[in-house]
Amino acid sequence: LAPEERRPHLGTTGGGTGESAERLRPFVRNEGMRLRGKMKKTIVIFGGSSGTGLAIIKALSGEYHTVCASRTEPPAEAKAGQWLSCDVRRSEAVNSVFNAPHGEIYAVINCAATGAYAPFSPEYHAYWQEIVDTSVMGAVNVMSATCKYAPQCEHLLTIGSVASRRPSPTPGNDIYAAAKTAVSRLQEDFRLRLRQEGAAMRVTLLTPGYIEGTRFGETFYRSNPEMQEPLFAAFQSLVPDDIAQAVLW
């Protein structure tokens, strides 16, 4: 989408470096994956089995060799490339994705996240842990593995949330917002370290608002069904295809 065509609450950070090309190592152009006689560049999508991640895979699969790394197996329409079982909370599982047989990695997209109604009350501790481990430690695992095992990667893109940039009005969404805020800061520090080392990998954070048609909305109140109320009734929300189009842009 052109900047003027983006829907509300779909923010981006990163991309440019503000530094001279002479100070940065040039990109190493990869050869990708040979499919049907044509070379396709490889893109790894963490959390690509449903919702936003699945929409991104569908949008990319024609031009790229897509590798879906997720805990659950994606539906048939996502299998244009590969599926690798991966829990981003486990460092060794993320590392194994990068070491699996596939084309040289051109880009990495991290969509893995989870949310739940989890207010400041001790009985929600397990949900706090799940949210932080998936969003924060998952992002750390993906960043560190990309840096170590795919130094030729040209672009690391993470799906964040507008909740990282302003207080979340949704009751019980505080830990999710805090986790996404941590991911935003991690992205900034990761980009800075790359620049200090002379690496030119682009690092982008996409920060959409509510996205209808994802597991977030479908499972948010699993922690306390009695608190359930419509999440999307009061405003026009984004849909997964909006995010996929922003990724293509």
Side-chain angles (χ1 to χ4, degrees), residues 119-139:
F120 294 106
S121 188
E123 63 265 31
Y124 294 98
H125 181 272
Y127 294 99
W128 301 341
Q129 194 73 59
E130 181 185 12
I131 292 167
V132 172
D133 286 350
T134 304
S135 290
V136 182
M137 290 311 302

Side-chain angles (χ1 to χ4, degrees), residues 114 118 120 128 131-133 135-137 161-168 172-186:
T114 188
F120 294 106
W128 301 341
I131 292 167
V132 172
D133 286 350
S135 290
V136 182
M137 290 311 302
S161 171
V162 73
S164 69
R165 303 167 61 183
R166 67 185 189 194
S168 174
N173 201 38
D174 313 282
I175 307 305
Y176 176 86
K180 289 299 188 180
T181 302
V183 171
S184 177
R185 177 57 188 269
L186 283 166

Side-chain angles (χ1 to χ4, degrees), residues 13-52:
T13 65
T17 67
E19 300 183 52
S20 64
E22 290 77 12
R23 293 189 57 193
L24 304 176
R25 292 201 302 266
F27 291 135
V28 179
R29 299 291 177 182
N30 66 72
E31 292 302 320
M33 199 80 170
R34 183 174 292 279
L35 298 176
R36 296 187 180 92
K38 179 182 178 181
M39 302 304 294
K40 287 190 175 184
K41 295 179 179 180
T42 296
I43 297 182
V44 177
I45 301 96
F46 288 91
S49 62
S50 66
T52 299

Side-chain angles (χ1 to χ4, degrees), residues 57-234:
I57 287 179
K58 290 179 180 178
L60 294 174
S61 60
E63 185 175 352
Y64 299 94
H65 174 67
T66 56
V67 178
C68 174
S70 58
R71 281 189 281 178
T72 57
E73 188 172 2
E77 60 263 33
K79 294 184 179 179
Q82 295 172 254
W83 172 63
L84 298 174
S85 178
C86 177
D87 183 344
V88 294
R89 299 174 296 182
R90 297 173 51 238
S91 178
E92 64 274 17
V94 174
N95 295 345
S96 69
V97 170
F98 286 84
N99 293 319
H102 46 59
E104 192 173 74
I105 295 173
Y106 165 68
V108 174
I109 301 173
N110 183 15
C111 307
T114 188
Y117 176 84
F120 294 106
S121 188
E123 63 265 31
Y124 294 98
H125 181 272
Y127 294 99
W128 301 341
Q129 194 73 59
E130 181 185 12
I131 292 167
V132 172
D133 286 350
T134 304
S135 290
V136 182
M137 290 311 302
V140 172
N141 290 335
V142 170
M143 290 178 194
S144 60
T146 301
C147 202
K148 181 173 182 178
Y149 299 111
Q152 79 291 335
C153 176
E154 296 190 16
H155 201 163
L156 171 65
L157 187 149
T158 301
I159 305 300
S161 171
V162 73
S164 69
R165 303 167 61 183
R166 67 185 189 194
S168 174
T170 305
N173 201 38
D174 313 282
I175 307 305
Y176 176 86
K180 289 299 188 180
T181 302
V183 171
S184 177
R185 177 57 188 269
L186 283 166
Q187 289 267 125
E188 293 176 1
D189 285 358
F190 182 67
R191 184 188 300 113
L192 175 61
R193 301 299 170 242
L194 288 173
R195 298 298 172 260
Q196 289 174 336
E197 296 171 5
M201 183 190 305
R202 289 190 294 164
V203 180
T204 301
L205 178 67
L206 196 65
T207 55
Y210 274 122
I211 309 170
E212 193 169 2
T214 69
R215 286 180 181 169
F216 180 93
E218 295 168 358
T219 64
F220 184 76
Y221 288 104
R222 68 189 185 281
S223 57
N224 191 341
E226 294 181 359
M227 296 300 297
Q228 186 161 349
E229 60 182 43
L231 287 175
F232 310 109

